[in-house]
Amino acid sequence: MSFPLNIFATLPSYNAEKDFQNKQGTVWKYQAGYKNNGYYAFSDLTNENGRWGNMNVGVIEHTKDDMVTGQSAIYMHSGGTSDPTLTFVAPYSGIVEISMTNGGVYCPLNGAEQKFDGINFYMCCGSTQVASFEGISSNNSKKENKVFDKTYTVEITKGEQIYFIVQPNKNTANDKVTFNPLIEYTKIT
């Protein structure tokens, strides 16, 4: 009896925090999103001392403490002229599951920050919006405000991009967010 060789193969998975680099990769990209007439255009951010971007265009960096669960994560802060965007470029066509390994997307509280207007967080696959969370803020009595605490299943083609976009709500004051996306292939076509 014979079996196809890939029946026992482990399907690939990609974790943004574990894969974080100080150079643009082929799977993960660190970008600035510029919205024009309802559409986004993206350009690669530059890296200085392990931090992608700056407070003008937005920041993407690795953090050893997501300020809520204590786990390593990706830290992003919205910019004044663009929206920081963590981009996954699909190396294969197939079906992927997208989840957050630290349990969600967090807008952590830190004392006086309870008075700020928060952020908008979007996940898009190509030009299709998969998830949208608007007005996420730390304006509550809980330890944090958490969204994206479920798994999304998306069909993707090789080279297609999944965007994780942080956008200011009304202003950029304390628009920080932590998260750790995990993209797992369940089927390669």
Side-chain angles (χ1 to χ4, degrees):
M1 177 181 266
S2 65
F3 295 98
L5 288 177
N6 66 357
I7 194 167
F8 298 107
T10 302
L11 292 172
S13 64
Y14 302 89
N15 180 291
E17 181 271 325
K18 287 185 172 44
D19 298 340
F20 188 84
Q21 301 179 59
N22 289 329
K23 62 180 183 173
Q24 293 287 354
T26 56
V27 174
W28 292 106
K29 295 203 170 284
Y30 312 97
Q31 300 184 307
Y34 299 92
K35 200 167 190 179
N36 186 14
N37 295 324
Y39 296 95
Y40 268 101
F42 298 95
S43 65
D44 290 351
L45 291 170
T46 56
N47 187 299
E48 291 184 29
N49 301 319
R51 173 187 243 190
W52 290 98
N54 57 51
M55 293 310 282
N56 189 38
V57 295
V59 171
I60 304 173
E61 62 186 317
H62 180 268
T63 181
K64 292 185 185 217
D65 182 355
D66 69 6
M67 299 178 282
V68 177
T69 68
Q71 297 178 43
S72 294
I74 298 298
Y75 165 93
M76 290 171 69
H77 194 293
S78 67
T81 61
S82 67
D83 302 331
T85 304
L86 179 65
T87 304
F88 173 82
V89 182
Y92 310 101
S93 295
I95 298 174
V96 296
E97 289 185 345
I98 306 162
S99 61
M100 298 294 165
T101 64
N102 60 339
V105 174
Y106 296 97
C107 255
L109 290 176
N110 272 346
E113 293 174 17
Q114 296 178 10
K115 305 272 187 243
F116 296 102
D117 70 344
I119 57 109
N120 301 322
F121 184 89
Y122 303 100
M123 183 183 72
C124 302
C125 182
S127 61
T128 303
Q129 187 171 290
V130 177
S132 165
F133 304 99
E134 297 184 353
I136 307 166
S137 81
S138 50
N139 275 345
N140 58 36
S141 58
K142 298 177 186 176
K143 184 178 178 187
E144 81 285 330
N145 194 348
K146 175 179 83 169
V147 297
F148 206 122
D149 53 359
K150 70 176 202 168
T151 299
Y152 292 87
T153 302
V154 173
E155 188 170 349
I156 195 162
T157 58
K158 181 178 180 176
E160 192 168 18
Q161 299 178 352
I162 298 174
Y163 304 101
F164 300 92
I165 303 168
V166 173
Q167 183 184 75
N169 192 9
K170 295 177 185 156
N171 62 57
T172 62
N174 284 305
D175 282 357
K176 60 186 176 185
V177 64
T178 58
F179 65 108
N180 187 8
L182 174 66
I183 299 178
E184 299 177 285
Y185 277 88
T186 59
K187 181 179 181 182
I188 294 178
T189 55

